[in-house]
Amino acid sequence: MPTILVADDDANIRELVCLFLHNDGFTTVEASDGQEALDLHARVPVDLVVLDIMMPGIDGWALCRELRRRSAELPLLMLTARGETWEKVKGFELGADDYLTKPFDPLELTVRVRALLKRSRIGADKAVRIGSLALDRSTYKVTVGTESFTLPLKEFELLYTLAGTPGQVYTREQLIERIWGLDYGGDNRTVDVHIKRLRERFADMGGFAIETVRGLGYRLEAEE
């Protein structure tokens, strides 16, 4: 089973999170602060990190940033005490994949962990399929049913990113960094323009929807 790194300075919270994860069959390793978490990550192969924001020394923000620098693919689930929008936005901008507000339901914790691990496995593949849509990054070909075609490169990369991790919220800043690069000097509203084009292209096909998450960004969801 996957190994989960749990970083929280509250021993009771760590014990509780680890208990929930153990009951669901996961292996866990624990860190009481950000530095210990970084040391553990360097020594122990982990498949996902659950990290608290408020920790002494290296806090959750800095830990999130450093873990994302080390690994672009490692799923990061951030714990927040208040769940305020600005905290969520900052977490996503630093590289967090999802968040959970304390106190949380044990079932929700394990469901979110499993969903993130599943997204991570999908995101590692060159080919992505959702509904009747298939994207092949090795050829940059888009297939819907029996029809194949190409998209402008930025539209393909944007759709591939969203479809590769269905349900994950991306801020405009994250999408700009991933697709246009750190040196991009234009308006981040270009993301909105490309999203609009994708929605128009796939309005009647594909079996998915690109949703706007108010105050945060965008996510792609498969339609029933």
Side-chain angles (χ1 to χ4, degrees):
M1 291 296 292
T3 298
I4 313 298
L5 169 58
V6 179
D8 196 309
D9 63 320
D10 187 324
N12 293 325
I13 294 293
R14 288 201 314 274
E15 182 180 1
L16 194 62
V17 170
C18 290
L19 176 63
F20 296 156
L21 294 173
H22 289 163
N23 288 342
D24 211 44
F26 293 104
T27 299
T28 62
V29 290
E30 300 179 39
S32 59
D33 57 48
Q35 186 58 60
E36 186 179 4
L38 291 175
D39 293 342
L40 271 172
H41 177 261
R43 300 195 316 268
V44 181
V46 299
D47 300 285
L48 181 145
V49 180
V50 177
L51 61 145
D52 184 41
I53 292 177
M54 303 305 294
M55 291 187 291
I58 297 177
D59 63 14
W61 305 124
L63 175 59
C64 185
R65 183 188 298 110
E66 176 60 19
L67 288 173
R68 183 54 69 230
R69 187 192 68 79
R70 292 184 182 185
S71 172
E73 308 301 331
L74 180 66
L76 305 176
L77 175 60
M78 184 168 279
L79 301 179
T80 170
R82 295 183 296 274
E84 295 180 3
T85 298
W86 73 266
E87 285 193 336
K88 301 170 191 176
V89 171
K90 183 174 181 178
F92 286 133
E93 288 177 344
L94 291 174
D97 297 292
D98 203 354
Y99 68 91
L100 196 57
T101 303
K102 301 176 184 177
F104 48 82
D105 185 291
L107 179 60
E108 184 177 7
L109 171 69
T110 55
V111 165
R112 286 179 182 269
V113 165
R114 289 190 176 278
L116 286 175
L117 290 170
K118 182 178 179 181
R119 292 176 198 168
S120 178
R121 288 192 293 269
I122 293 173
D125 294 335
K126 287 291 184 183
V128 169
R129 178 177 293 277
I130 184 165
S132 60
L133 172 74
L135 302 168
D136 188 341
R137 203 177 187 197
S138 62
T139 62
Y140 286 91
K141 182 180 292 185
V142 180
T143 303
V144 180
T146 58
E147 180 184 0
S148 294
F149 53 93
T150 58
L151 291 174
L153 181 59
K154 296 304 184 186
E155 287 185 32
F156 180 93
E157 292 287 359
L158 180 57
L159 184 57
Y160 183 89
T161 297
L162 294 170
T165 51
Q168 180 173 328
V169 177
Y170 289 92
T171 65
R172 292 182 181 88
E173 290 75 16
Q174 282 180 306
L175 293 170
I176 287 288
E177 181 178 330
R178 287 182 180 226
I179 297 162
W180 281 266
L182 290 171
D183 297 330
Y184 177 74
D187 189 338
N188 66 9
R189 293 292 172 177
T190 191
V191 174
D192 301 341
V193 173
H194 283 72
I195 291 288
K196 183 175 183 292
R197 290 175 183 165
L198 287 172
R199 284 170 169 165
E200 291 172 349
R201 288 182 191 276
F202 295 94
D204 300 317
M205 56 181 173
F208 66 90
I210 300 175
E211 300 179 351
T212 301
V213 182
R214 188 175 180 83
L216 295 177
Y218 295 101
R219 69 181 170 205
L220 185 145
E221 293 283 5
E223 295 179 337
E224 294 295 334

